[in-house]
Amino acid sequence: MRSAIHVDPQAGRPAAPAVRRPAWAGRVRRRYRWLSLLGGAVIVVMTYFPLVFVVSNSLKSGQNIFRSGVFSLFTQFDYQNYSTAWSGVSRPLANTLVVAAASILLGVTAAAAGAYAFSQRRRSQPGSARVPGAGHGG
């Protein structure tokens, strides 16, 4: 009895034999597909609910939050909350930006100066990586 070997003309090598799955495998895959879709939907809801919750409550007035409840969506836009929050945050935010910019500038300048100094250093022996004064006794 001869077995036929199928050769893939594009690859020039024998093709992998077709795998025959049992009849129940399709039902199991469909069941797990619904389970994975349900799990994905739960993850999406758990991810986006806090975002919707915060944005919705930020657009409500104080009276509207107490009247309609915390978990209800906003019914009217109240942008006053954003201007009130910005007035309390603008000065500390500006201070933070100044301190961060100064520390980044100082850090990059020090790192560049150190890198230049190491690049201009001549080694006493080829292949030696000892740095004088770095605790290696030299």
Side-chain angles (χ1 to χ4, degrees):
M1 179 177 211
R2 273 192 213 178
S3 66
I5 297 177
H6 300 284
V7 177
D8 186 8
Q10 295 171 346
R13 59 179 179 225
V19 178
R20 194 168 247 289
R21 293 196 169 107
W24 54 267
R27 288 191 305 268
V28 171
R29 285 180 56 201
R30 274 182 259 137
R31 184 179 307 153
Y32 285 124
R33 184 181 318 155
W34 283 107
L35 186 63
S36 66
L37 286 174
L38 179 66
V42 167
I43 289 172
V44 166
V45 168
M46 289 176 63
T47 302
Y48 287 111
F49 175 74
L51 181 64
V52 171
F53 178 76
V54 167
V55 170
S56 177
N57 282 327
S58 71
L59 292 172
K60 292 180 189 177
S61 65
Q63 294 84 16
N64 196 2
I65 288 176
F66 290 116
R67 227 177 317 137
S68 63
V70 178
F71 292 106
S72 65
L73 292 175
F74 60 91
T75 55
Q76 59 187 10
F77 296 108
D78 186 17
Y79 296 109
Q80 185 65 31
N81 295 336
Y82 288 106
S83 63
T84 304
W86 182 252
S87 67
V89 171
S90 59
R91 186 163 178 91
L93 182 64
N95 291 340
T96 300
L97 290 176
V98 168
V99 169
S103 64
I104 288 171
L105 185 66
L106 184 66
V108 168
T109 303
Y116 178 75
F118 276 118
S119 72
Q120 297 301 314
R121 185 178 168 276
R122 301 273 182 225
R123 295 186 183 149
S124 58
Q125 299 172 1
S128 86
R130 285 186 26 191
V131 176
H136 296 292

PDB file of all heavy atoms in Angstrom, residues 48-78:
ATOM      1  N   TYR A  48     -14.205  50.671  31.976  1.00  0.00           N
ATOM      2  CA  TYR A  48     -14.756  51.966  31.602  1.00  0.00           C
ATOM      3  C   TYR A  48     -15.747  52.524  32.603  1.00  0.00           C
ATOM      4  O   TYR A  48     -16.052  53.714  32.561  1.00  0.00           O
ATOM      5  CB  TYR A  48     -15.403  51.892  30.216  1.00  0.00           C
ATOM      6  CG  TYR A  48     -14.357  51.798  29.144  1.00  0.00           C
ATOM      7  CD1 TYR A  48     -14.185  50.641  28.408  1.00  0.00           C
ATOM      8  CD2 TYR A  48     -13.508  52.860  28.885  1.00  0.00           C
ATOM      9  CE1 TYR A  48     -13.216  50.553  27.433  1.00  0.00           C
ATOM     10  CE2 TYR A  48     -12.535  52.785  27.920  1.00  0.00           C
ATOM     11  CZ  TYR A  48     -12.398  51.633  27.200  1.00  0.00           C
ATOM     12  OH  TYR A  48     -11.434  51.554  26.243  1.00  0.00           O
ATOM     13  N   PHE A  49     -16.290  51.732  33.520  1.00  0.00           N
ATOM     14  CA  PHE A  49     -17.240  52.257  34.490  1.00  0.00           C
ATOM     15  C   PHE A  49     -16.641  53.353  35.361  1.00  0.00           C
ATOM     16  O   PHE A  49     -17.262  54.405  35.546  1.00  0.00           O
ATOM     17  CB  PHE A  49     -17.828  51.144  35.365  1.00  0.00           C
ATOM     18  CG  PHE A  49     -18.720  51.658  36.439  1.00  0.00           C
ATOM     19  CD1 PHE A  49     -19.989  52.127  36.132  1.00  0.00           C
ATOM     20  CD2 PHE A  49     -18.293  51.725  37.752  1.00  0.00           C
ATOM     21  CE1 PHE A  49     -20.816  52.630  37.115  1.00  0.00           C
ATOM     22  CE2 PHE A  49     -19.104  52.223  38.742  1.00  0.00           C
ATOM     23  CZ  PHE A  49     -20.373  52.676  38.424  1.00  0.00           C
ATOM     24  N   PRO A  50     -15.432  53.189  35.924  1.00  0.00           N
ATOM     25  CA  PRO A  50     -14.883  54.283  36.737  1.00  0.00           C
ATOM     26  C   PRO A  50     -14.686  55.570  35.946  1.00  0.00           C
ATOM     27  O   PRO A  50     -14.916  56.665  36.460  1.00  0.00           O
ATOM     28  CB  PRO A  50     -13.540  53.741  37.228  1.00  0.00           C
ATOM     29  CG  PRO A  50     -13.671  52.274  37.140  1.00  0.00           C
ATOM     30  CD  PRO A  50     -14.579  52.001  35.982  1.00  0.00           C
ATOM     31  N   LEU A  51     -14.294  55.461  34.683  1.00  0.00           N
ATOM     32  CA  LEU A  51     -14.100  56.654  33.861  1.00  0.00           C
ATOM     33  C   LEU A  51     -15.423  57.379  33.629  1.00  0.00           C
ATOM     34  O   LEU A  51     -15.521  58.602  33.791  1.00  0.00           O
ATOM     35  CB  LEU A  51     -13.460  56.263  32.520  1.00  0.00           C
ATOM     36  CG  LEU A  51     -13.158  57.392  31.561  1.00  0.00           C
ATOM     37  CD1 LEU A  51     -12.116  58.317  32.163  1.00  0.00           C
ATOM     38  CD2 LEU A  51     -12.692  56.838  30.246  1.00  0.00           C
ATOM     39  N   VAL A  52     -16.454  56.631  33.266  1.00  0.00           N
ATOM     40  CA  VAL A  52     -17.775  57.234  33.050  1.00  0.00           C
ATOM     41  C   VAL A  52     -18.305  57.807  34.362  1.00  0.00           C
ATOM     42  O   VAL A  52     -18.900  58.892  34.388  1.00  0.00           O
ATOM     43  CB  VAL A  52     -18.743  56.186  32.449  1.00  0.00           C
ATOM     44  CG1 VAL A  52     -20.165  56.705  32.425  1.00  0.00           C
ATOM     45  CG2 VAL A  52     -18.297  55.791  31.057  1.00  0.00           C
ATOM     46  N   PHE A  53     -18.087  57.113  35.455  1.00  0.00           N
ATOM     47  CA  PHE A  53     -18.540  57.555  36.775  1.00  0.00           C
ATOM     48  C   PHE A  53     -17.912  58.900  37.143  1.00  0.00           C
ATOM     49  O   PHE A  53     -18.603  59.834  37.567  1.00  0.00           O
ATOM     50  CB  PHE A  53     -18.172  56.480  37.805  1.00  0.00           C
ATOM     51  CG  PHE A  53     -18.533  56.813  39.209  1.00  0.00           C
ATOM     52  CD1 PHE A  53     -19.839  56.738  39.639  1.00  0.00           C
ATOM     53  CD2 PHE A  53     -17.550  57.187  40.109  1.00  0.00           C
ATOM     54  CE1 PHE A  53     -20.174  57.044  40.950  1.00  0.00           C
ATOM     55  CE2 PHE A  53     -17.869  57.494  41.410  1.00  0.00           C
ATOM     56  CZ  PHE A  53     -19.190  57.422  41.829  1.00  0.00           C
ATOM     57  N   VAL A  54     -16.611  59.029  36.970  1.00  0.00           N
ATOM     58  CA  VAL A  54     -15.912  60.255  37.346  1.00  0.00           C
ATOM     59  C   VAL A  54     -16.325  61.415  36.438  1.00  0.00           C
ATOM     60  O   VAL A  54     -16.609  62.521  36.916  1.00  0.00           O
ATOM     61  CB  VAL A  54     -14.378  60.038  37.317  1.00  0.00           C
ATOM     62  CG1 VAL A  54     -13.628  61.346  37.400  1.00  0.00           C
ATOM     63  CG2 VAL A  54     -13.965  59.121  38.441  1.00  0.00           C
ATOM     64  N   VAL A  55     -16.355  61.184  35.133  1.00  0.00           N
ATOM     65  CA  VAL A  55     -16.731  62.256  34.214  1.00  0.00           C
ATOM     66  C   VAL A  55     -18.172  62.678  34.447  1.00  0.00           C
ATOM     67  O   VAL A  55     -18.499  63.879  34.456  1.00  0.00           O
ATOM     68  CB  VAL A  55     -16.502  61.819  32.743  1.00  0.00           C
ATOM     69  CG1 VAL A  55     -17.109  62.814  31.778  1.00  0.00           C
ATOM     70  CG2 VAL A  55     -15.017  61.666  32.475  1.00  0.00           C
ATOM     71  N   SER A  56     -19.062  61.736  34.665  1.00  0.00           N
ATOM     72  CA  SER A  56     -20.466  62.062  34.899  1.00  0.00           C
ATOM     73  C   SER A  56     -20.638  62.880  36.171  1.00  0.00           C
ATOM     74  O   SER A  56     -21.375  63.873  36.183  1.00  0.00           O
ATOM     75  CB  SER A  56     -21.291  60.776  34.982  1.00  0.00           C
ATOM     76  OG  SER A  56     -22.631  61.075  35.285  1.00  0.00           O
ATOM     77  N   ASN A  57     -19.971  62.483  37.233  1.00  0.00           N
ATOM     78  CA  ASN A  57     -20.103  63.235  38.485  1.00  0.00           C
ATOM     79  C   ASN A  57     -19.397  64.580  38.430  1.00  0.00           C
ATOM     80  O   ASN A  57     -19.776  65.508  39.141  1.00  0.00           O
ATOM     81  CB  ASN A  57     -19.599  62.420  39.666  1.00  0.00           C
ATOM     82  CG  ASN A  57     -20.597  61.386  40.097  1.00  0.00           C
ATOM     83  OD1 ASN A  57     -21.803  61.594  40.008  1.00  0.00           O
ATOM     84  ND2 ASN A  57     -20.108  60.257  40.556  1.00  0.00           N
ATOM     85  N   SER A  58     -18.365  64.709  37.600  1.00  0.00           N
ATOM     86  CA  SER A  58     -17.691  66.005  37.503  1.00  0.00           C
ATOM     87  C   SER A  58     -18.540  67.020  36.750  1.00  0.00           C
ATOM     88  O   SER A  58     -18.347  68.224  36.907  1.00  0.00           O
ATOM     89  CB  SER A  58     -16.338  65.849  36.813  1.00  0.00           C
ATOM     90  OG  SER A  58     -16.502  65.584  35.437  1.00  0.00           O
ATOM     91  N   LEU A  59     -19.468  66.563  35.941  1.00  0.00           N
ATOM     92  CA  LEU A  59     -20.335  67.477  35.190  1.00  0.00           C
ATOM     93  C   LEU A  59     -21.638  67.799  35.922  1.00  0.00           C
ATOM     94  O   LEU A  59     -22.459  68.540  35.401  1.00  0.00           O
ATOM     95  CB  LEU A  59     -20.648  66.885  33.809  1.00  0.00           C
ATOM     96  CG  LEU A  59     -19.459  66.803  32.870  1.00  0.00           C
ATOM     97  CD1 LEU A  59     -19.823  66.027  31.626  1.00  0.00           C
ATOM     98  CD2 LEU A  59     -18.966  68.191  32.506  1.00  0.00           C
ATOM     99  N   LYS A  60     -21.846  67.268  37.125  1.00  0.00           N
ATOM    100  CA  LYS A  60     -23.051  67.553  37.904  1.00  0.00           C
ATOM    101  C   LYS A  60     -22.784  68.678  38.898  1.00  0.00           C
ATOM    102  O   LYS A  60     -21.661  68.850  39.370  1.00  0.00           O
ATOM    103  CB  LYS A  60     -23.484  66.315  38.697  1.00  0.00           C
ATOM    104  CG  LYS A  60     -23.978  65.167  37.893  1.00  0.00           C
ATOM    105  CD  LYS A  60     -24.364  64.055  38.839  1.00  0.00           C
ATOM    106  CE  LYS A  60     -24.675  62.772  38.138  1.00  0.00           C
ATOM    107  NZ  LYS A  60     -24.976  61.695  39.084  1.00  0.00           N
ATOM    108  N   SER A  61     -23.825  69.389  39.234  1.00  0.00           N
ATOM    109  CA  SER A  61     -23.706  70.357  40.322  1.00  0.00           C
ATOM    110  C   SER A  61     -23.827  69.609  41.641  1.00  0.00           C
ATOM    111  O   SER A  61     -24.262  68.454  41.691  1.00  0.00           O
ATOM    112  CB  SER A  61     -24.793  71.423  40.202  1.00  0.00           C
ATOM    113  OG  SER A  61     -26.064  70.823  40.381  1.00  0.00           O
ATOM    114  N   GLY A  62     -23.458  70.276  42.727  1.00  0.00           N
ATOM    115  CA  GLY A  62     -23.518  69.631  44.034  1.00  0.00           C
ATOM    116  C   GLY A  62     -24.923  69.206  44.407  1.00  0.00           C
ATOM    117  O   GLY A  62     -25.153  68.119  44.934  1.00  0.00           O
ATOM    118  N   GLN A  63     -25.919  70.069  44.118  1.00  0.00           N
ATOM    119  CA  GLN A  63     -27.299  69.729  44.432  1.00  0.00           C
ATOM    120  C   GLN A  63     -27.787  68.570  43.569  1.00  0.00           C
ATOM    121  O   GLN A  63     -28.556  67.722  44.030  1.00  0.00           O
ATOM    122  CB  GLN A  63     -28.222  70.937  44.232  1.00  0.00           C
ATOM    123  CG  GLN A  63     -27.975  72.081  45.203  1.00  0.00           C
ATOM    124  CD  GLN A  63     -26.840  72.981  44.734  1.00  0.00           C
ATOM    125  OE1 GLN A  63     -26.447  72.932  43.576  1.00  0.00           O
ATOM    126  NE2 GLN A  63     -26.299  73.782  45.645  1.00  0.00           N
ATOM    127  N   ASN A  64     -27.350  68.541  42.332  1.00  0.00           N
ATOM    128  CA  ASN A  64     -27.788  67.490  41.414  1.00  0.00           C
ATOM    129  C   ASN A  64     -27.252  66.126  41.848  1.00  0.00           C
ATOM    130  O   ASN A  64     -27.919  65.109  41.677  1.00  0.00           O
ATOM    131  CB  ASN A  64     -27.344  67.819  39.988  1.00  0.00           C
ATOM    132  CG  ASN A  64     -28.076  67.000  38.956  1.00  0.00           C
ATOM    133  OD1 ASN A  64     -28.946  66.200  39.283  1.00  0.00           O
ATOM    134  ND2 ASN A  64     -27.727  67.204  37.703  1.00  0.00           N
ATOM    135  N   ILE A  65     -26.051  66.081  42.405  1.00  0.00           N
ATOM    136  CA  ILE A  65     -25.490  64.814  42.881  1.00  0.00           C
ATOM    137  C   ILE A  65     -26.353  64.261  44.014  1.00  0.00           C
ATOM    138  O   ILE A  65     -26.692  63.081  44.047  1.00  0.00           O
ATOM    139  CB  ILE A  65     -24.031  64.993  43.347  1.00  0.00           C
ATOM    140  CG1 ILE A  65     -23.123  65.205  42.147  1.00  0.00           C
ATOM    141  CG2 ILE A  65     -23.553  63.773  44.125  1.00  0.00           C
ATOM    142  CD1 ILE A  65     -21.692  65.478  42.501  1.00  0.00           C
ATOM    143  N   PHE A  66     -26.735  65.140  44.956  1.00  0.00           N
ATOM    144  CA  PHE A  66     -27.528  64.680  46.095  1.00  0.00           C
ATOM    145  C   PHE A  66     -28.969  64.369  45.702  1.00  0.00           C
ATOM    146  O   PHE A  66     -29.600  63.500  46.281  1.00  0.00           O
ATOM    147  CB  PHE A  66     -27.506  65.715  47.222  1.00  0.00           C
ATOM    148  CG  PHE A  66     -26.161  65.808  47.880  1.00  0.00           C
ATOM    149  CD1 PHE A  66     -25.413  66.968  47.818  1.00  0.00           C
ATOM    150  CD2 PHE A  66     -25.623  64.719  48.553  1.00  0.00           C
ATOM    151  CE1 PHE A  66     -24.178  67.044  48.415  1.00  0.00           C
ATOM    152  CE2 PHE A  66     -24.389  64.785  49.151  1.00  0.00           C
ATOM    153  CZ  PHE A  66     -23.658  65.956  49.087  1.00  0.00           C
ATOM    154  N   ARG A  67     -29.497  65.112  44.722  1.00  0.00           N
ATOM    155  CA  ARG A  67     -30.865  64.885  44.298  1.00  0.00           C
ATOM    156  C   ARG A  67     -31.023  63.597  43.500  1.00  0.00           C
ATOM    157  O   ARG A  67     -31.893  62.777  43.772  1.00  0.00           O
ATOM    158  CB  ARG A  67     -31.339  66.072  43.441  1.00  0.00           C
ATOM    159  CG  ARG A  67     -32.692  66.566  43.831  1.00  0.00           C
ATOM    160  CD  ARG A  67     -33.131  67.770  43.034  1.00  0.00           C
ATOM    161  NE  ARG A  67     -32.045  68.740  42.866  1.00  0.00           N
ATOM    162  CZ  ARG A  67     -31.788  69.363  41.726  1.00  0.00           C
ATOM    163  NH1 ARG A  67     -32.525  69.153  40.668  1.00  0.00           N
ATOM    164  NH2 ARG A  67     -30.815  70.219  41.640  1.00  0.00           N
ATOM    165  N   SER A  68     -30.174  63.401  42.506  1.00  0.00           N
ATOM    166  CA  SER A  68     -30.348  62.265  41.598  1.00  0.00           C
ATOM    167  C   SER A  68     -29.524  61.047  42.010  1.00  0.00           C
ATOM    168  O   SER A  68     -29.741  59.960  41.488  1.00  0.00           O
ATOM    169  CB  SER A  68     -29.984  62.672  40.171  1.00  0.00           C
ATOM    170  OG  SER A  68     -28.614  63.021  40.104  1.00  0.00           O
ATOM    171  N   GLY A  69     -28.573  61.206  42.883  1.00  0.00           N
ATOM    172  CA  GLY A  69     -27.746  60.088  43.309  1.00  0.00           C
ATOM    173  C   GLY A  69     -26.402  60.091  42.598  1.00  0.00           C
ATOM    174  O   GLY A  69     -26.230  60.690  41.538  1.00  0.00           O
ATOM    175  N   VAL A  70     -25.474  59.412  43.192  1.00  0.00           N
ATOM    176  CA  VAL A  70     -24.107  59.404  42.684  1.00  0.00           C
ATOM    177  C   VAL A  70     -23.983  58.550  41.423  1.00  0.00           C
ATOM    178  O   VAL A  70     -23.220  58.859  40.520  1.00  0.00           O
ATOM    179  CB  VAL A  70     -23.148  58.883  43.772  1.00  0.00           C
ATOM    180  CG1 VAL A  70     -21.729  58.819  43.264  1.00  0.00           C
ATOM    181  CG2 VAL A  70     -23.216  59.762  44.994  1.00  0.00           C
ATOM    182  N   PHE A  71     -24.758  57.473  41.328  1.00  0.00           N
ATOM    183  CA  PHE A  71     -24.589  56.533  40.222  1.00  0.00           C
ATOM    184  C   PHE A  71     -25.424  56.869  38.994  1.00  0.00           C
ATOM    185  O   PHE A  71     -25.412  56.124  38.025  1.00  0.00           O
ATOM    186  CB  PHE A  71     -24.913  55.107  40.695  1.00  0.00           C
ATOM    187  CG  PHE A  71     -23.910  54.601  41.683  1.00  0.00           C
ATOM    188  CD1 PHE A  71     -24.229  54.506  43.023  1.00  0.00           C
ATOM    189  CD2 PHE A  71     -22.640  54.247  41.282  1.00  0.00           C
ATOM    190  CE1 PHE A  71     -23.309  54.051  43.945  1.00  0.00           C
ATOM    191  CE2 PHE A  71     -21.705  53.792  42.184  1.00  0.00           C
ATOM    192  CZ  PHE A  71     -22.040  53.690  43.531  1.00  0.00           C
ATOM    193  N   SER A  72     -26.165  57.954  38.998  1.00  0.00           N
ATOM    194  CA  SER A  72     -26.941  58.330  37.816  1.00  0.00           C
ATOM    195  C   SER A  72     -26.074  59.169  36.880  1.00  0.00           C
ATOM    196  O   SER A  72     -25.130  59.827  37.312  1.00  0.00           O
ATOM    197  CB  SER A  72     -28.184  59.120  38.219  1.00  0.00           C
ATOM    198  OG  SER A  72     -27.797  60.349  38.802  1.00  0.00           O
ATOM    199  N   LEU A  73     -26.401  59.148  35.609  1.00  0.00           N
ATOM    200  CA  LEU A  73     -25.665  59.955  34.640  1.00  0.00           C
ATOM    201  C   LEU A  73     -26.095  61.405  34.751  1.00  0.00           C
ATOM    202  O   LEU A  73     -27.179  61.718  35.247  1.00  0.00           O
ATOM    203  CB  LEU A  73     -25.905  59.433  33.230  1.00  0.00           C
ATOM    204  CG  LEU A  73     -25.307  58.061  32.926  1.00  0.00           C
ATOM    205  CD1 LEU A  73     -25.712  57.609  31.530  1.00  0.00           C
ATOM    206  CD2 LEU A  73     -23.794  58.100  33.045  1.00  0.00           C
ATOM    207  N   PHE A  74     -25.248  62.311  34.258  1.00  0.00           N
ATOM    208  CA  PHE A  74     -25.561  63.733  34.344  1.00  0.00           C
ATOM    209  C   PHE A  74     -26.718  64.068  33.407  1.00  0.00           C
ATOM    210  O   PHE A  74     -26.909  63.452  32.366  1.00  0.00           O
ATOM    211  CB  PHE A  74     -24.339  64.586  34.013  1.00  0.00           C
ATOM    212  CG  PHE A  74     -23.792  64.355  32.633  1.00  0.00           C
ATOM    213  CD1 PHE A  74     -24.223  65.106  31.562  1.00  0.00           C
ATOM    214  CD2 PHE A  74     -22.845  63.374  32.412  1.00  0.00           C
ATOM    215  CE1 PHE A  74     -23.730  64.902  30.302  1.00  0.00           C
ATOM    216  CE2 PHE A  74     -22.334  63.152  31.154  1.00  0.00           C
ATOM    217  CZ  PHE A  74     -22.786  63.918  30.093  1.00  0.00           C
ATOM    218  N   THR A  75     -27.497  65.069  33.816  1.00  0.00           N
ATOM    219  CA  THR A  75     -28.622  65.510  32.984  1.00  0.00           C
ATOM    220  C   THR A  75     -28.378  66.893  32.413  1.00  0.00           C
ATOM    221  O   THR A  75     -28.961  67.251  31.401  1.00  0.00           O
ATOM    222  CB  THR A  75     -29.922  65.537  33.814  1.00  0.00           C
ATOM    223  OG1 THR A  75     -29.721  66.353  34.961  1.00  0.00           O
ATOM    224  CG2 THR A  75     -30.308  64.127  34.238  1.00  0.00           C
ATOM    225  N   GLN A  76     -27.543  67.684  33.050  1.00  0.00           N
ATOM    226  CA  GLN A  76     -27.171  68.995  32.526  1.00  0.00           C
ATOM    227  C   GLN A  76     -25.675  69.197  32.761  1.00  0.00           C
ATOM    228  O   GLN A  76     -25.118  68.676  33.718  1.00  0.00           O
ATOM    229  CB  GLN A  76     -27.975  70.096  33.194  1.00  0.00           C
ATOM    230  CG  GLN A  76     -27.800  70.140  34.696  1.00  0.00           C
ATOM    231  CD  GLN A  76     -28.743  71.142  35.324  1.00  0.00           C
ATOM    232  OE1 GLN A  76     -29.623  71.648  34.665  1.00  0.00           O
ATOM    233  NE2 GLN A  76     -28.549  71.404  36.602  1.00  0.00           N
ATOM    234  N   PHE A  77     -25.066  69.947  31.872  1.00  0.00           N
ATOM    235  CA  PHE A  77     -23.632  70.191  31.975  1.00  0.00           C
ATOM    236  C   PHE A  77     -23.385  71.339  32.942  1.00  0.00           C
ATOM    237  O   PHE A  77     -23.995  72.388  32.845  1.00  0.00           O
ATOM    238  CB  PHE A  77     -23.038  70.558  30.615  1.00  0.00           C
ATOM    239  CG  PHE A  77     -23.141  69.451  29.611  1.00  0.00           C
ATOM    240  CD1 PHE A  77     -24.033  69.532  28.564  1.00  0.00           C
ATOM    241  CD2 PHE A  77     -22.331  68.343  29.706  1.00  0.00           C
ATOM    242  CE1 PHE A  77     -24.123  68.519  27.626  1.00  0.00           C
ATOM    243  CE2 PHE A  77     -22.410  67.335  28.774  1.00  0.00           C
ATOM    244  CZ  PHE A  77     -23.313  67.424  27.735  1.00  0.00           C
ATOM    245  N   ASP A  78     -22.464  71.143  33.869  1.00  0.00           N
ATOM    246  CA  ASP A  78     -22.070  72.197  34.801  1.00  0.00           C
ATOM    247  C   ASP A  78     -20.550  72.270  34.776  1.00  0.00           C
ATOM    248  O   ASP A  78     -19.865  71.495  35.436  1.00  0.00           O
ATOM    249  CB  ASP A  78     -22.587  71.887  36.206  1.00  0.00           C
ATOM    250  CG  ASP A  78     -22.324  73.024  37.168  1.00  0.00           C
ATOM    251  OD1 ASP A  78     -22.047  74.142  36.695  1.00  0.00           O
ATOM    252  OD2 ASP A  78     -22.391  72.785  38.384  1.00  0.00           O
TER     253      ASP A  78
END
